[in-house]
């Protein structure tokens, strides 16, 4: 859906998405990094389970929510990618970093 | 001198003379002018670098990016440079989630109490005044299928270009209306993207109404730029006009854009659909702070009620730039400067005469900058069918997945406004807090009732206007009376263990 | 000739539940309500169907509450059947979590005092220590002292309940009249006429269920509804995976996934803005109860005014000087919804509040009665 312009310079950062190692450009938001890697579906909704991806890229729509390092409901478009970040598709409502049984 | 960067919540001072929210052209100018007048200023902004959405990423942009985005984008540098040379405090990646009158449990109420989150911690600070320069957001574009992955706003594509050097790579359709539409199309084409079609939803009747203002427009900066952009886009891509309906289709993601125009319906295969029908003020902070607003029919949105010095109905709060009604980047910078002067005057740093003297040339430039704005508002006022969805399956509230049909079907219960609708259907209750459905819900109700949207009103917007983690709120200062209000009695007085330490 | 059999002033949970009850008995009702931005305590209801701890000082109130909890399954079924809207009722038993030994002891003392009152219908409850609480609520924090559990407690989705009542009223042809602010009520020849900027309406009976507005309206028909200021604040989080399957007195995970927190009572009605220290205490205590919710983002905080009489118990009363005029006031609009819909509506239809409910007359607040 998106490609990186060849003149965009930036050090490479590695992260994983649903366990798959991917590369990003330093300074990317998580949303930009995922779009650059060809990811379009970021989450499913807690209401109907429908697929969603980023919409506004400026922090207002809350569509780009992903799970980052175990914590759900992170706005991918407002979070800067970091080396080794573990990003996952968010399925429905947010989960907790520590698994709980209730 | 140069700005003092505030990186953690604990680095924030207890008090400032002036809080400015938003580091776009309005906020940067307001903060710079106020700081130059000697006020202690805190500028809070959600992004990592100054510039707002219009100048997003400019401090890190490469020469190639700047060249691609043009002279208007590069103009942001001067505004940023001026601000960075002041003594203001600047908190990047900070969100202001609440502004309310400061009411201590003992002592006199004065000024404002501001909730700020920064680097994972919340703080309450006090300021004497605030200028909200929260800018604009893209107007909701509720068409069937608009929640599918692969559909983004045109602005989002521009942000991806500005900040990450990303351009669309597959089959791309751009649809909507407004000055940004052709600008973005031209920028993307210039960057080598393949734009398969531009679907122009500008209503035909607009041109006639806009003509009344065309003399001003022709003399404005927009006039020439606009004509050049149009020519450029026409040369490289197909433009579809006389559009009556738009729909996105796909299973789990966008696969085609269905366009109905005079003469037929066409299904355009697409990987990416970029939607845009103008921008509207970002109202949540001003509404949550109690600032009065009214329906602005020309811009088809609510706009805060402000006077010529940007003053709102709340004594210590002013609003500058697009947040107070869409005036564009150049206008916003000038408007912000006026707000900064007004703040310095109200806090005793500028005499009234000095304020007026400094403001006169700014006002003259502002008049110039706003020339042509009426034409743009009329020409690009999005059509009713694209603002007020008629197809029942169209999702209106994306967060709670409430459709236009559900909203209309609930009207017979006697719903008069969006707050009752919210209680019945949960529209506006999700994390976006109504930003992407508020105007639509109001306009559907107004249409059903046959009254003006101003009579219907808008959501009561609640703090925090940006999500704050519960643990951040839990770490804020407590008081004995608050403990008594919640627990019924005070087991361990806060006053005895001050300052409050974490258990 | 009157416009309707009964006019109900107030379209919140209380007014709507009584109106529905009257309409299903075949009466022609009209509900007069305010507009979109009225106070609306109903929109701020916490959603508990709660029995434990209620009625200290008035055992009849405990019995009244227990009766409503027992009627709730029927209310839920009928509304669901009539409207297709599920009010989200469940009665899995509820916990009052106590953070310290002192809080737990106070809770135990209060339950003992409550249950040892004469004429109270005793109900089962358990005192649980930390370990016992943890066995049933695994997500509790390490510093929780214990809890009090009662199997009678439950919860519902207050907004869906509210919508179900109004949808049912609509189906039955009842008139719901928003933006009908009532300025004056007069009583003549056995009929009541209400007036507002919108015009007038008349009926043989009138029910005042206008929340805070009752204080102003009641004297017009020889009634008295004294209220005391009470402000409550609520915090709502984003949706999260289910972790709390029982209602807790101050924390509930609603069926849509969000967590709502709120147990504050401030004796003020100055404004509806959240107070930061109260927010901090609410959040802090909730996190000590369930540490995992600390990571959740808060999406809304707001304050609303409770409908609280000076002794905290409801008022159900018919006017002596204007028979046919009834006043109802209470703050437990969800817990008592079943009583209001079935029992109170029945009494109003009959034209008499029975002696068994005389204890809820406002006469208990008269200066002469107290002397």
């Amino acid at each position: 859906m998106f490609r990186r312009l060849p003149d965009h310079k930036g050090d490479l950062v590695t992260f994983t998405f649903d366990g798959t190692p991917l590369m990003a450009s330093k300074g990317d938001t998580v949303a930009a990094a995922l779009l650059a890697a060809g990811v379009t579906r970021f989450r499913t909704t807690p209401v109907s389970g429908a697929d969603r991806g980023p919409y506004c890229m400026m922090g207002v729509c809350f569509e780009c929510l992903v799970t980052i390092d175990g914590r759900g409901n992170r706005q991918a478009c407002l979070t800067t990618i970091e080396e080794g970040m573990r990003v996952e598709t968010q399925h429905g409502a947010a989960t907790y970093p520590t698994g709980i049984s209730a | 001198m140069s700005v003092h960067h505030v990186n953690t919540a604990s680095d924030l001072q207890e008090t400032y003379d002036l809080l400015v929210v938003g580091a776009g052209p309005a906020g940067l100018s307001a903060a710079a002018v106020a700081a130059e007048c000697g006020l202690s200023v805190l500028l809070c902004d959600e992004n990592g670098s100054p510039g707002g959405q219009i100048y997003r990423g400019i401090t890190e942009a490469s020469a190639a990016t700047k060249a691609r985005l043009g002279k208007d984008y590069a103009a942001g540098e001067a505004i940023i440079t001026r601000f960075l040379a002041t003594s203001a405090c600047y908190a990047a990646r900070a969100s202001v989630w609440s502004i309310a009158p400061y009411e201590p449990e003992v002592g006199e109420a004065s000024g404002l109490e501001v909730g700020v989150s920064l680097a994972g911690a919340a703080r309450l600070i006090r300021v004497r005044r605030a200028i909200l320069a929260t800018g604009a957001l893209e107007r909701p574009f509720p068409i069937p299928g608009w929640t599918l992955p692969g559909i983004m706003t045109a602005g989002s594509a521009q942000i991806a270009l500005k900040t990450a050097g990303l351009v669309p790579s597959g089959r791309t359709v751009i649809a909507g209306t407004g000055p940004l539409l052709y600008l973005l199309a031209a920028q993307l084409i210039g960057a080598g993207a393949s734009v398969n079609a531009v679907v122009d939803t500008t209503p035909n009747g607009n041109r006639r109404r806009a003509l009344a203002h065309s003399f001003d427009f022709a003399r404005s900066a927009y006039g020439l730029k606009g004509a050049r952009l149009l020519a450029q886009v026409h040369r490289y891509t197909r433009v579809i006009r006389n559009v009556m309906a738009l729909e996105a289709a796909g299973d789990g993601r966008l696969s085609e854009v269905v366009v109905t125009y005079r003469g037929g319906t066409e299904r355009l295969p697409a990987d990416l659909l970029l939607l845009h029908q103008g921008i509207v003020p970002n109202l949540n902070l001003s509404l949550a702070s109690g600032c009065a607003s009214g329906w602005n029919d020309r811009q088809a949105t609510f706009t805060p009620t402000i006077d010529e010095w940007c003053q709102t109905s709340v004594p210590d709060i002013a609003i500058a730039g697009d947040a107070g009604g869409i005036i564009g980047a150049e206008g916003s910078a000038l408007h912000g400067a006026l707000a900064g002067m007004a703040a310095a005057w109200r806090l005793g740093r500028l005499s009234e005469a000095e304020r007026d003297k400094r403001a006169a040339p700014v006002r003259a430039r502002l008049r110039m900058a706003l020339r042509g704005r009426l034409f743009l508002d009329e020409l690009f006022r999005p059509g009713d069918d694209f603002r007020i969805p008629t197809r029942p399956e169209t999702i209106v509230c994306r967060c709670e997945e409430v459709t236009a049909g559900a909203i209309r079907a609930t009207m017979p219960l006697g719903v008069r406004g969006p707050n009752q609708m919210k209680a019945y259907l949960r529209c506006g209750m999700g994390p976006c807090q109504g930003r992407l459905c508020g105007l639509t819900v109001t306009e559907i109700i107004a249409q059903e009732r046959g009254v003006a949207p101003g009579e219907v009103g808008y959501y009561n917007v609640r703090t925090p206007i940006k999500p704050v983690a519960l643990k951040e709120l839990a770490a804020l200062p407590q008081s004995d009376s608050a403990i008594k209000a919640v627990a019924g009695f005070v087991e361990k007085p806060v006053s005895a263990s001050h300052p409050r330490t974490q258990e | 000739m009157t416009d309707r059999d009964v006019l109900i002033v107030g379209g919140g949970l209380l007014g709507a539940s009584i109106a529905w009850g009257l309409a299903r008995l075949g009466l022609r009702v009209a509900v007069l309500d305010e507009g979109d931005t009225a106070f609306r305590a109903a929109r701020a209801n916490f959603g508990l169907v709660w029995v434990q701890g209620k009625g200290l000082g008035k055992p009849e109130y405990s019995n009244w509450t227990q009766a409503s909890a027992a009627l709730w399954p029927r209310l839920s079924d009928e509304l669901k059947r009539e409207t297709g809207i599920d009010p989200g009722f469940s009665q899995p038993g509820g916990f009052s979590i106590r953070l310290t030994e002192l809080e737990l002891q106070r809770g135990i003392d209060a339950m003992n005092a409550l249950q040892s009152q004469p004429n109270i219908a005793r109900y089962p409850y358990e005192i649980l220590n930390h370990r016992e609480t943890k066995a049933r609520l695994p997500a509790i924090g390490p510093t929780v002292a214990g809890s009090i559990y009662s199997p009678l407690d439950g919860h519902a989705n207050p907004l869906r309940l509210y919508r179900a009542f109004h949808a049912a009223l609509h189906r039955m042809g009842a008139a719901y009249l928003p933006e009908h602010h009532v300025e004056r009520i007069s009583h003549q020849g056995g009929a009541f006429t209400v007036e507002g900027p919108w015009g007038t309406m008349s009926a043989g009976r009138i029910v005042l269920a206008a929340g805070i507005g009752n204080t102003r309206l009641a004297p017009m028909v020889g009634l008295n509804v004294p209220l005391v200021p009470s402000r409550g604040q609520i915090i709502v989080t984003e949706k999260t995976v289910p972790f709390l399957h029982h209602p807790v007195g101050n924390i509930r995970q609603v069926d849509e996934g969000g967590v709502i927190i709120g147990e504050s009572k401030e004796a003020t009605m100055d404004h509806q803005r959240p107070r930061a220290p109260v927010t901090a205490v609410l959040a802090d205590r909730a996190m000590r109860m369930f540490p995992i919710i600390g990571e959740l983002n808060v999406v809304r905080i707001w304050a609303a005014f409770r409908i609280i009489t000076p002794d905290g118990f409801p008022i159900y009363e018919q006017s002596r000087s204007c028979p046919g005029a009834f006043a109802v006031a209470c703050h437990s609009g969800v817990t008592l919804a079943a009583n209001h819909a079935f029992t109170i509506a029945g009494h109003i239809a009959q034209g008499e509040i029975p002696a068994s409910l005389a204890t809820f007359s406002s006469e208990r607040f008269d200066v002469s009665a107290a002397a």
Side-chain angles (χ1 to χ4, degrees):
Chain A
M1 202 161 68
F2 284 90
R3 69 180 164 86
R4 190 91 65 175
L5 289 168
D7 55 30
H8 182 84
K9 301 277 186 285
D11 297 340
L12 291 181
V13 176
T14 49
F15 69 105
T16 63
F17 180 67
D18 290 340
T20 307
L22 294 171
M23 302 291 251
S25 178
K26 194 170 175 358
D28 277 358
T29 61
V30 172
L34 289 176
L35 288 175
V39 176
T40 54
R41 186 190 76 160
F42 282 41
R43 66 172 183 126
T44 61
T45 66
V47 177
S48 74
D51 294 330
R52 295 283 171 92
Y55 180 72
C56 79
M57 293 291 273
M58 57 178 273
V60 300
C61 76
F62 294 79
E63 292 289 15
C64 63
L65 301 176
V66 289
T67 300
I68 298 179
D69 294 333
R71 190 179 158 188
N73 280 358
R74 309 299 297 152
Q75 286 180 273
C77 75
L78 291 184
T79 310
T80 305
I81 197 93
E82 279 165 33
E83 182 64 38
M85 221 176 222
R86 197 159 49 85
V87 183
E88 291 162 285
T89 303
Q90 181 171 320
H91 298 281
T95 49
Y96 303 95
T98 48
I100 51 145
S101 51
Chain B
M1 253 184 321
S2 70
V3 294
H4 173 66
H5 290 267
V6 179
N7 298 315
T8 65
S10 56
D11 285 346
L12 289 164
Q13 298 167 28
E14 283 287 317
T15 63
Y16 295 88
D17 290 332
L18 179 69
L19 165 76
V20 179
V21 186
L28 289 166
S29 298
V33 167
E36 286 161 8
C37 289
L39 297 183
S40 66
V41 176
L42 171 68
L43 173 62
C44 288
D45 186 64
E46 242 179 3
N47 286 304
S49 58
Q53 300 307 334
I54 184 84
Y55 305 132
R56 182 109 176 235
I58 191 167
T59 49
E60 295 103 33
S62 64
T65 302
K66 284 180 201 165
R68 207 143 37 222
L69 292 164
K71 212 167 71 221
D72 287 345
Y73 179 65
E77 281 186 307
I79 296 169
I80 293 168
T81 305
R82 179 180 177 185
F83 167 72
L84 292 176
T86 69
S87 59
C89 294
Y90 168 49
R93 296 188 202 289
S95 62
V96 171
W97 42 267
S98 161
I99 298 181
Y102 174 63
E103 295 172 332
E105 286 182 3
V106 282
E108 226 162 282
S110 75
L112 303 166
E113 182 178 68
V114 180
V116 187
S117 265
L118 181 52
R123 266 288 292 280
L124 291 168
I125 58 165
R126 276 160 49 205
V127 301
R128 297 170 71 192
R129 291 190 61 79
I131 297 173
L132 314 185
T134 51
L137 48 89
E138 287 173 280
R139 178 192 297 281
F141 206 140
I143 56 166
W146 71 309
T147 54
L148 287 168
I151 301 175
M152 301 171 70
T153 70
S156 77
Q158 210 184 30
I159 290 167
L161 177 62
K162 286 171 183 172
T163 60
L166 294 178
V167 290
S169 59
R171 297 160 301 181
T172 302
V173 175
I174 303 177
T177 184
L180 179 66
L181 196 75
Y182 286 93
L183 173 67
L184 181 83
Q187 282 173 350
L188 293 184
I189 291 164
S194 64
V195 176
N196 296 55
V198 171
V199 179
D200 188 334
T201 61
T202 308
N204 286 327
N206 285 10
R207 198 155 288 278
R208 187 171 31 80
R209 274 190 296 279
L211 276 178
H213 310 286
S214 60
F215 178 68
D216 268 349
F217 180 75
R219 292 190 302 157
S220 74
Y222 306 114
L224 194 62
K225 264 186 281 186
R228 215 178 47 224
L229 286 175
L230 271 179
Q232 216 171 323
V233 171
H234 271 277
R235 198 173 321 137
Y236 293 101
T237 189
R238 178 182 172 207
V239 177
I240 302 174
R241 291 181 198 282
N242 301 310
V243 178
M244 292 178 305
L246 193 61
E247 182 185 343
D251 183 14
R253 59 154 305 150
L254 175 75
S255 60
E256 54 185 18
V257 180
V258 186
V259 187
T260 305
Y261 49 89
R262 208 162 56 211
T265 293
E266 204 172 319
R267 306 181 83 88
L268 308 169
D271 303 301
L272 179 66
L273 169 61
L274 299 174
L275 292 173
H276 177 82
Q277 51 177 352
I279 58 175
V280 291
N282 193 347
L283 289 170
N284 281 43
L285 185 55
S286 65
L287 291 175
S289 311
C291 300
S293 67
W295 179 253
N296 177 331
D297 203 53
R298 190 163 43 80
Q299 295 189 349
T301 181
F302 287 93
T303 46
T305 310
I306 51 173
D307 71 10
E308 57 170 352
W309 294 105
C310 310
Q311 178 62 45
T312 70
S313 63
V314 177
D316 301 316
I317 301 180
I319 297 178
D322 282 342
I326 302 307
I327 55 177
E330 197 187 348
S332 290
L334 298 162
H335 204 230
L338 293 176
M341 290 170 200
W345 164 66
R346 284 182 192 272
L347 296 177
R349 295 294 182 137
L350 272 188
S351 69
E352 191 171 328
E354 184 61 23
R355 178 200 67 177
D356 292 349
K357 194 178 127 216
R358 290 193 193 187
V362 177
R363 284 195 194 283
R365 285 175 59 202
L366 183 59
R367 270 193 300 277
M368 286 291 288
L370 294 183
R371 192 186 270 173
R373 181 54 55 180
L374 284 176
F375 177 87
L376 290 179
D377 285 348
E378 294 284 9
L379 180 62
F380 294 122
R381 191 177 191 278
D384 287 358
D385 291 346
F386 298 102
R387 296 196 327 277
I388 316 170
T390 47
R391 294 262 299 270
E393 74 274 26
T394 309
I395 285 178
V396 171
C397 167
R398 299 172 61 110
C399 298
E400 296 288 339
E401 302 183 47
V402 180
T403 63
I407 290 168
R408 290 182 198 273
T410 305
M411 288 303 293
L413 295 191
V415 177
R416 304 301 275 173
N419 294 295
Q420 190 72 351
M421 197 61 88
K422 178 162 124 185
Y424 281 152
L425 298 181
R426 296 186 63 82
C427 49
M429 278 195 186
C432 97
Q433 295 166 313
R435 287 172 177 89
L436 270 83
C437 71
L439 290 172
T440 316
V441 169
T442 289
E443 288 212 87
I444 291 175
I445 296 171
Q447 190 184 58
E448 290 282 327
R449 285 183 53 195
V451 299
E455 207 175 304
V456 168
Y458 195 77
Y459 289 137
N460 291 332
V461 177
R462 313 291 189 183
T463 59
I465 65 117
K466 288 284 175 170
V468 191
L470 190 72
K471 65 179 179 188
E472 295 183 47
L473 297 175
L476 291 174
Q478 305 187 358
S479 69
D480 291 348
S481 66
I483 293 171
K484 184 161 186 304
V486 178
F489 70 105
V490 181
E491 196 169 337
K492 266 190 287 177
V494 173
S495 43
S497 62
H498 118 93
R500 191 175 164 274
T501 49
Q502 287 296 313
E503 283 147 79
Chain C
M1 198 45 208
T2 54
D3 298 313
R4 293 272 160 172
D5 297 326
V6 191
L7 298 180
I8 292 99
V9 185
L13 273 174
L14 183 54
S17 55
I18 292 173
W20 178 73
L22 291 168
R24 58 190 285 287
L25 294 174
L27 279 83
R28 297 174 309 139
V29 302
V31 178
L32 291 86
D33 204 4
E34 301 273 345
D36 193 51
T37 52
F39 278 134
R40 302 261 174 234
R43 289 186 194 151
N45 193 292
F46 204 72
L48 293 174
V49 177
W50 201 252
V51 172
Q52 67 164 284
K54 286 180 173 177
L56 186 57
K58 197 183 268 296
E60 299 89 341
Y61 182 54
S62 174
N63 301 350
W64 180 242
T65 298
Q66 291 180 54
S68 196
L71 275 174
W72 242 102
R74 184 176 146 210
L75 175 67
S76 174
D77 289 348
E78 287 202 21
L79 285 174
K80 225 183 302 184
R81 198 174 55 237
E82 274 183 40
T83 66
I85 299 164
D86 181 355
F89 170 70
S90 72
Q91 216 162 4
F95 295 80
S96 293
I97 295 184
R98 304 293 170 173
L99 285 171
T100 64
E101 291 302 330
L102 181 59
E103 284 184 14
L104 184 59
Q105 193 54 52
R106 285 193 176 208
I108 295 168
D109 293 347
M111 281 305 277
N112 283 338
L114 177 75
Q115 296 254 22
S116 57
Q117 295 178 107
N119 304 323
I120 193 162
R122 294 223 175 90
Y123 55 86
Y125 70 95
E126 293 172 69
I127 310 291
L128 307 174
N129 64 21
H130 176 87
R131 189 179 44 78
E132 291 160 340
T133 306
K134 179 124 183 125
R136 301 194 206 177
L137 298 175
I140 60 162
T143 64
V144 167
S147 66
I148 300 170
Y149 169 82
S150 164
L152 300 192
D153 297 320
H155 54 170
N157 185 310
L159 294 179
R160 283 212 306 276
L161 172 66
Y162 182 42
R163 177 155 69 103
F165 275 132
H166 279 283
L169 280 168
H170 180 68
R171 282 172 55 91
M172 289 189 287
Y176 171 75
L177 307 168
E179 290 170 2
H180 275 55
H181 175 77
V182 174
E183 278 177 356
R184 235 166 69 86
I185 309 171
S186 53
H187 181 228
Q188 214 169 17
F192 294 91
T193 302
V194 299
E195 269 180 68
W198 43 270
T200 65
M201 267 188 107
S202 63
R205 284 179 206 162
I206 185 163
V207 180
L208 304 183
I212 289 160
N214 267 9
T215 305
R216 178 180 61 85
L217 297 169
M220 298 179 190
V221 286
L223 287 162
N224 173 34
V225 181
L227 297 175
V228 293
S230 179
R231 215 182 89 107
Q233 205 166 296
I234 286 182
I235 298 176
V236 181
T237 74
E238 63 195 354
K239 292 180 170 75
T240 185
V241 290
F243 77 98
L244 182 56
H245 304 284
H246 294 265
V248 169
N250 62 317
I251 301 176
R252 222 163 65 72
Q253 185 170 26
V254 301
D255 49 7
E256 289 103 352
V259 178
I260 73 175
I261 300 161
E263 55 172 356
S264 67
K265 289 187 184 73
E266 295 170 84
T268 176
M269 301 219 306
D270 50 358
H271 60 69
Q272 295 194 315
R273 290 188 300 275
R275 279 205 169 75
V278 175
T279 303
V281 177
L282 285 172
D284 180 36
R285 288 178 61 87
M287 261 186 74
R288 279 147 66 192
M289 293 180 188
F290 298 102
I292 47 169
I293 62 176
E295 296 292 331
L296 293 179
N297 282 322
V298 170
V299 293
R300 273 192 300 288
I301 306 173
W302 81 94
F305 304 140
R306 289 191 190 82
I307 315 304
I308 296 274
T309 64
D311 62 8
F313 302 117
I315 291 174
Y316 305 108
E317 184 167 32
Q318 177 165 206
S319 172
R320 287 179 197 274
S321 58
C322 306
F326 297 83
V328 288
C330 80
H331 70 281
S332 296
V334 170
T335 299
L336 297 177
N339 275 359
H340 296 151
F342 298 120
T343 314
I344 291 292
H347 296 326
I348 291 171
Q350 297 279 325
E352 195 182 348
I353 304 281
S356 60
L357 294 178
T359 184
F360 297 115
S361 152
S362 73
E363 283 169 8
R364 66 186 191 269
F365 303 116
D366 292 351
V367 180
S368 54

